[in-house]
Amino acid sequence: MPQTSMQEKQSKIHLQNGKGTQSFRRKRKAAEISEDSENIYPPNKVPALSPTETFAESCTVTSPPVAYTPQPSTSPLKEQQEPSTWSELRASTCFLTPSASHSDTNKTTPLPSFPWADGAQVWSIMCLGDQKSVTQRDPQMFQRHPTLQPRMRAILLDWLIEVCEVYKLHRETYYLAMDYIDRYLSTHHNVPKNQLQLIGITCLFIAAKVEEIYPPKIAEFAYVTDGACTEEEILGKELVVLKGLGWNLSPVTAPGWLNVYMQVESGDWSKPNTFIYPQYGGLQYSQASQLLDLATLDEGSLKFSYSHLAAAAVYHTQGRECALRVSRLTWEQLGPCAKWLNAFALTVAEERAQQMLRSAVPLIDSSAGSGLRASVPNIVADESHRIQTHVIDLEMLEQAQQRQSHEAILLSDCLDFEAILESASSPDQSGILTPPSSSQKNSPTPPRLPPQLEPYT
C-alpha cells in the first residue's frame, strides 16, 4: 500500500509537470507566431514599389522591370525556398543564387550572362533601386526650408568635394554623402541654415564609414569644419540622419551607373567572370565624372534619376549610340536629361582639358605581379580616376546656369514666334484675315524675327 500510494503520487506529479510543460510550449509557440506576424520579411512597413510607374519604363526598352518573385521550387529542400518570416530567416542555412529561369525573358539587359548571378535579375534590382532613390529626392525640397537656398546646397557640396580631395576619398563616398543630404532635406522641414554644415559633414562621415576601407577619424571631420562642428555634435547628428534615411545607405549612385555603362561598353565578355574588374580607360571616366560633378551642384539634377544622369554624361562624352546601347534607354527617355546637361557639357568643354584632368593623386598599380593580367588583359591597373578631385568650382556653375537661362529665353522666343506665325497664317472663324497692327503699318522696316535654333542632335 505505501508503495502504491507513492507511485500514484509520482504519476500525478509527472502529469502535472507534463501539462505545465505543454502549456509553456504553447505560450512560447504563440509568442513566436506573433513575433513573426509583426516582423514579416520583407517588413510591411516598407512601401512596395509599383513596377507600373512611368520611371520603371525608362530602365528597359520593351517593358518595365518588375520585382523578382520566387517561383515554387520542385525540390523538397526547405533551404531552396525564400524565407517569409524572421524565424525562418534565422533558421536558414543557405541561399541559392536564382537561376535564369526566374528572370523575365521579355526584358533586355546590357549585362552579360554571369555564371554566378542572373544578369536580368541584377539589372531589374538596380532599376528598382534607382526608381526608389528618385522618388525619395524632392526637386522642390527648398520649399520645405524657408531659410535655405539652392545656392547654399551648391556651396556645401563644393566644400565637401574639397574635403574629399584632401583626404583622397573615392567618388562613390562623395556621391553617397550627396544622396544622404538630398534625401534628408527631402523628408524634413524647417532645417535652420546654421545646421546645414553639420548635416553635410555628418553625411560625409557616414558615407566614409560605408565606402572607405580606412575612413578618416571623426576628429578629422570635426577639424575641417574649423570649430563649427564638434565630435559630440557629429555623433549626435549621425543617429538623427540615420533614422531620417531609414538606414537605407546603399543606393546605386551616378558613378555606380557610369561604372556599369562604361564596363559594358569596354569589356570583353568572352570571359564573364572578368566583369568585376575595370576594363575602361580612366580618362573617359574622369571626363564623364567631372561633368556629373558640375551638373549635380545644380538643384535641377534632382529631377532626374542617377541612371539618366550617368547615361547623359556618356552621351556627351562618347556619343548618342553608345549611351543608348549601354543604358537600354530610348531617345524619348534620355533626351530631356541630355538636353538639360548640354549647358554644363559646353561649360566643361570651354575649360582647358589638361588642366581639368590634372590630379595630384599618384598612380597606383594595384595588380602588379599578381598574374591578373593573364586572365584580364584589358584591366586598368591605375585606380586614381576613382578618387574625388576638386576640378570644378562655383564660377563654372554660374556660367552653366547663365547659359541655361539664355537657352531657355531663346527657346521661349522661338515658341512664341511659331505661335504668331500659326495664328497669322490661319484665318479666323469669319473667314476674314486679321489686319496688321498700326505699329507694323507705320514701321519703315519689317519687324526683325528672332533667330531660329538649330535642331538638337
Side-chain angles (χ1 to χ4, degrees), residues 173-440:
T173 303
Y174 163 70
Y175 278 88
L176 282 177
M178 180 181 64
D179 179 81
Y180 299 162
I181 294 172
D182 294 336
R183 286 164 51 198
Y184 181 83
L185 295 179
S186 298
T187 55
H188 290 71
H189 296 271
N190 299 325
V191 173
K193 61 181 179 181
N194 57 358
Q195 293 287 318
L196 190 60
Q197 187 178 16
L198 177 60
I199 294 173
I201 198 63
T202 303
C203 291
L204 185 62
F205 175 60
I206 298 173
K209 292 196 294 184
V210 171
E211 180 65 23
E212 301 292 335
I213 299 177
Y214 302 105
K217 303 296 183 182
I218 188 173
E220 300 292 338
F221 290 97
Y223 171 77
V224 295
T225 61
D226 196 15
C229 306
T230 62
E231 298 179 16
E232 291 76 13
E233 290 176 344
I234 295 176
L235 291 176
K237 201 66 176 180
E238 179 185 12
L239 185 58
V240 176
V241 172
L242 290 174
K243 290 182 178 180
L245 299 178
W247 296 85
N248 182 15
L249 306 177
S250 301
V252 184
T253 60
W257 284 100
L258 182 63
N259 179 29
V260 173
Y261 292 159
M262 300 190 69
Q263 187 78 334
V264 169
E265 178 65 18
S266 305
D268 180 14
W269 309 131
S270 59
K271 300 178 181 179
N273 287 328
T274 61
F275 187 82
I276 60 177
Y277 303 107
Q279 302 182 45
Y280 50 81
L283 180 62
Q284 296 177 348
Y285 183 85
S286 298
Q287 290 176 343
S289 297
Q290 289 162 6
L291 178 57
L292 290 175
D293 291 345
L294 180 62
T296 51
L297 292 181
D298 188 82
E299 70 278 5
S301 61
L302 299 173
K303 299 182 297 184
F304 305 102
S305 64
Y306 293 139
S307 61
H308 284 200
L309 289 173
V314 174
Y315 166 82
H316 286 285
T317 55
Q318 300 188 32
R320 175 174 175 174
E321 295 182 358
C322 177
L324 299 180
R325 180 171 59 254
V326 299
S327 64
R328 293 298 191 267
L329 298 172
T330 61
W331 178 244
E332 289 76 12
Q333 298 166 347
L334 184 60
C337 185
K339 294 176 182 178
W340 176 83
L341 204 64
N342 185 42
F344 299 94
L346 294 177
T347 304
V348 171
E350 288 180 354
E351 300 294 328
R352 289 176 295 182
Q354 296 300 327
Q355 183 178 1
M356 288 285 297
L357 301 176
R358 188 178 303 159
S359 175
V361 180
L363 301 181
I364 302 174
D365 192 358
S366 59
S367 62
S370 62
L372 189 60
R373 293 186 182 276
S375 58
V376 191
N378 298 327
I379 189 173
V380 178
D382 181 24
E383 294 289 333
S384 61
H385 60 277
R386 297 185 181 274
I387 303 298
Q388 183 66 50
T389 55
H390 190 216
V391 294
I392 53 98
D393 51 19
L394 297 177
E395 294 182 0
M396 296 175 59
L397 177 62
E398 293 177 357
Q399 295 176 5
Q401 291 175 344
Q402 292 176 1
R403 195 187 301 270
Q404 268 190 339
S405 61
H406 182 64
E407 292 179 355
I409 293 174
L410 291 179
L411 182 60
S412 62
D413 291 342
C414 290
L415 293 177
D416 294 340
F417 175 66
E418 292 177 358
I420 292 173
L421 289 181
E422 184 178 358
S423 61
S425 59
S426 59
D428 55 3
Q429 297 179 356
S430 61
I432 303 175
L433 295 177
T434 304
S437 60
S438 59
S439 61
Q440 294 181 358

Side-chain angles (χ1 to χ4, degrees), residues 71-132:
Q71 302 294 333
S73 177
T74 57
S75 176
L77 295 178
K78 185 178 181 181
E79 288 80 7
Q80 294 184 357
Q81 299 179 359
E82 184 178 356
S84 59
T85 60
W86 284 114
S87 60
E88 293 182 6
L89 179 64
R90 291 193 296 265
S92 300
T93 57
C94 64
F95 300 96
L96 301 180
T97 302
S99 60
S101 60
H102 298 305
S103 61
D104 189 359
T105 57
N106 295 328
K107 293 198 300 291
T108 58
T109 170
L111 300 180
S113 178
F114 304 123
W116 38 268
D118 184 8
Q121 183 197 0
V122 172
W123 183 256
S124 177
I125 293 175
M126 291 177 62
C127 291
L128 287 177
D130 196 42
Q131 175 186 355
K132 183 178 180 180

Side-chain angles (χ1 to χ4, degrees), residues 26-162:
R26 291 194 190 100
K27 292 180 180 179
R28 184 177 179 181
K29 186 175 181 180
E32 290 181 355
I33 294 175
S34 62
E35 179 185 358
D36 292 338
S37 62
E38 294 177 359
N39 300 319
I40 300 299
Y41 180 79
N44 293 331
K45 296 181 180 180
V46 180
L49 293 177
S50 175
T52 59
E53 296 183 6
T54 57
F55 179 77
E57 299 177 357
S58 63
C59 295
T60 57
V61 176
T62 57
S63 62
V66 295
Y68 168 69
T69 303
Q71 302 294 333
S73 177
T74 57
S75 176
L77 295 178
K78 185 178 181 181
E79 288 80 7
Q80 294 184 357
Q81 299 179 359
E82 184 178 356
S84 59
T85 60
W86 284 114
S87 60
E88 293 182 6
L89 179 64
R90 291 193 296 265
S92 300
T93 57
C94 64
F95 300 96
L96 301 180
T97 302
S99 60
S101 60
H102 298 305
S103 61
D104 189 359
T105 57
N106 295 328
K107 293 198 300 291
T108 58
T109 170
L111 300 180
S113 178
F114 304 123
W116 38 268
D118 184 8
Q121 183 197 0
V122 172
W123 183 256
S124 177
I125 293 175
M126 291 177 62
C127 291
L128 287 177
D130 196 42
Q131 175 186 355
K132 183 178 180 180
S133 65
V134 75
T135 55
Q136 291 177 346
R137 295 180 294 123
D138 185 12
Q140 307 296 331
M141 65 181 181
F142 292 100
Q143 297 180 1
R144 300 169 175 262
H145 314 284
T147 59
L148 299 183
Q149 300 294 331
R151 176 73 176 180
M152 298 179 183
R153 175 185 177 271
I155 294 174
L156 175 64
L157 294 179
D158 182 73
W159 174 69
L160 290 180
I161 293 178
E162 187 176 0

